[in-house]
Amino acid sequence: MKEKNTIIQSILSEEKRSLIKKVFQTLLIVGIIMCCFYLVDFFDRERMLEGMPAIGTLFKEMIPPNFNEVKKWMEPLLDTLVMSIAGTALALILSFPLGLLAANNTSPNKTIYVVSRTILNLLRSIPELIMGIIFVAAVGFGALPGVLALGLHSAGMMGKFYAESIEHLDPHPVEAAKATGASSLQVIRYAILPQVFSQGADLCIYRWEYNLSTAADNSLVTSSAERSTSASWTAQKLSLGAHTILYTSLPRMTALLWLTLIHNKRSQPYSKS
């Protein structure tokens, strides 16, 4: 009887410590979020109220819209649509193979796993606008640098999701396919792809929607009426892109690598498929 009471008390004590830990973690996260809100003046009531009339004025000027020059909108709208579709397609072509190599249950070895994860982190740590500047300097103005920028950045994001999805799929179909003597491509085709297809389709649609809105912003960088191609302009843009990557993208890259290391420690250790 005493042993039973001791076990019960031990369980209750463990539950109590776990509850205290969760409460502390929750309060810490809430505190960090509230500090961030405070630092960006989110609780500045006077500033918020002063901005309301400006927002109302803006909506009054927007409605009703002016369709007098609607014909001039067609070409930019078509460019935006084409850039988003091509960029999403390029991202899909690159991201799924990278996702397979970056998943610990499908990667051939640990070196390829680490290299693939690093590539994905690098691609998504550089903003599309910065990639756009770099590709404009490389291939000139037009839709092409925008497609390359959207495609590579999206490949980093989509590849990460594919890798996580593949790592959490049901292993039994994969084991059954391997037991029949299926090749690696057949295992991917008949055991892995059917399990990630629905999530992958949702991800593609979401990413295309994101690229559709981002393509309009990217056009500000990749398109120009002057279409300048001078060597000095190219050098200036390359210098701007390099400095921007150094001061803005490297911190993001460091944060992504740090989060990846934390995730890898919390998840299962690498095992060769």
Side-chain angles (χ1 to χ4, degrees), residues 21 26-27 39 57 72 74 94 97 99 109 127 171-172 185 236:
K21 183 179 179 181
T26 302
L27 292 176
L39 291 175
T57 302
K72 296 182 180 180
M74 294 298 104
L94 296 176
N109 55 65
H172 295 98
L185 290 178
Q236 291 175 3

Side-chain angles (χ1 to χ4, degrees), residues 141-159:
F141 288 106
L144 179 58
V147 170
L148 294 174
L150 292 175
L152 291 180
H153 182 78
S154 296
M157 299 294 294
M158 294 173 66

